[in-house]
Amino acid sequence: MTEIKSKHESKTMWVVLLTAITMVVEIVFGLTTKSMALLADGIHMGSHVLAIGLSWVAYVIVRKVSRSEKFKGNSDKILSLSGYSSGLMLLIFAIVILIEAIQRFYNPEDIVYKEAILVAIIGLVVNIASAFLLHHDHKHSDHNIRAAYLHVIADALTSLSAILGLIAAMIWDIPFMDTIAATISSFVIVKWSIGLLKDSGKVLLDIEHEHHHGHSH
């Protein structure tokens, strides 16, 4: 068990806590301001809490397992499995935003702009803080920390596009700007999640052996 992995473990734990608190705030405000955008953002944050939570659990399992005598497998596989599952969640999450956005085109909602923007900004700040927490050098990267990092960045991206979309919608009174922003984010997230699935899937299927340079225990 390297100290890098345990550093990753405590970082992911903090991010889970931060994200979970923000998610609750966004959902509560989403309900009170009747802002669909915020509510959606809060629910999406929920999927990230689950995914990043999964990354954290994976580190805990690796730590426990590497102490156990019975486990003879490659503990890095656990991290890749967690990264893979996380990538799958990201993909589903992006597709859900797309479907939501398409429905919004047909029935636009009235949004309480100012409060929605304010809370979206808080969300963005939390995501940026989390991204700094999870930032890691490529040398020490594994699919697990990368998955958690991607979730946070994806979240920051949707918060940012929600803010820009909401501001544009408010200034020019074009509600569908918000929708267009969400659609663009979705496509970016789809691209990232597929990349993550490909990379972590290769490890799970033992396709890339030369990549396992993390075995200096």
Side-chain angles (χ1 to χ4, degrees):
M1 177 69 190
T2 56
E3 88 258 42
I4 289 158
K5 280 198 184 114
S6 58
K7 243 186 12 221
H8 284 182
E9 184 189 315
S10 59
K11 282 179 178 178
T12 42
M13 183 193 74
W14 278 110
V15 172
V16 173
L17 292 172
L18 259 177
T19 318
I21 295 165
T22 316
M23 168 196 84
V24 174
V25 171
E26 287 195 345
I27 290 175
V28 169
F29 273 93
L31 293 170
T32 54
T33 60
K34 299 195 173 47
S35 155
M36 255 308 289
L38 265 191
L39 190 58
D41 203 20
I43 292 166
H44 295 150
M45 268 225 172
S47 70
H48 293 299
V49 171
L50 285 174
I52 301 165
L54 180 72
S55 299
W56 172 48
V57 168
Y59 282 120
V60 176
I61 292 171
V62 167
R63 180 165 51 96
K64 296 254 194 294
V65 148
S66 45
R67 285 193 193 140
S68 128
E69 298 301 304
K70 291 197 279 291
F71 184 78
K72 292 284 182 279
N74 168 7
S75 66
D76 289 346
K77 277 260 174 87
I78 299 171
L79 299 180
S80 299
L81 181 60
S82 165
Y84 186 85
S85 320
S86 231
L88 209 52
M89 284 189 198
L90 247 173
L91 187 59
I92 294 164
F93 148 72
I95 292 165
V96 170
I97 300 182
L98 270 177
I99 294 166
E100 251 176 52
I102 292 162
Q103 286 171 343
R104 273 295 184 83
F105 270 119
Y106 293 108
N107 32 30
E109 300 266 343
D110 281 330
I111 308 166
V112 185
Y113 289 116
K114 289 200 174 79
E115 282 170 33
I117 291 168
L118 183 69
V119 181
I121 289 171
I122 295 169
L124 179 64
V125 170
V126 169
N127 291 135
I128 291 170
S130 304
F132 274 111
L133 261 176
L134 287 178
H135 192 70
H136 50 283
D137 355 339
H138 268 304
K139 292 198 296 288
H140 304 324
S141 184
D142 58 55
H143 293 299
N144 196 35
I145 191 96
R146 195 178 135 207
Y149 189 59
L150 277 186
H151 273 278
V152 169
I153 297 285
D155 226 9
L157 186 79
T158 43
S159 292
L160 187 63
S161 71
I163 293 165
L164 296 177
L166 282 167
I167 290 173
M170 182 171 73
I171 294 172
W172 295 298
D173 199 26
I174 330 173
F176 67 85
M177 283 296 294
D178 181 42
T179 316
I180 291 169
T183 314
I184 294 167
S185 312
S186 303
F187 281 119
V188 177
I189 296 167
V190 165
K191 193 170 160 293
W192 286 341
S193 52
I194 289 171
L196 184 62
L197 288 173
K198 273 189 191 149
D199 289 350
S200 50
K202 276 179 189 161
V203 179
L204 294 176
L205 299 172
D206 284 322
I207 292 170
E208 287 182 274
H209 281 290
E210 66 277 7
H211 248 355
H212 288 188
H213 49 251
H215 281 252
S216 47
H217 283 301

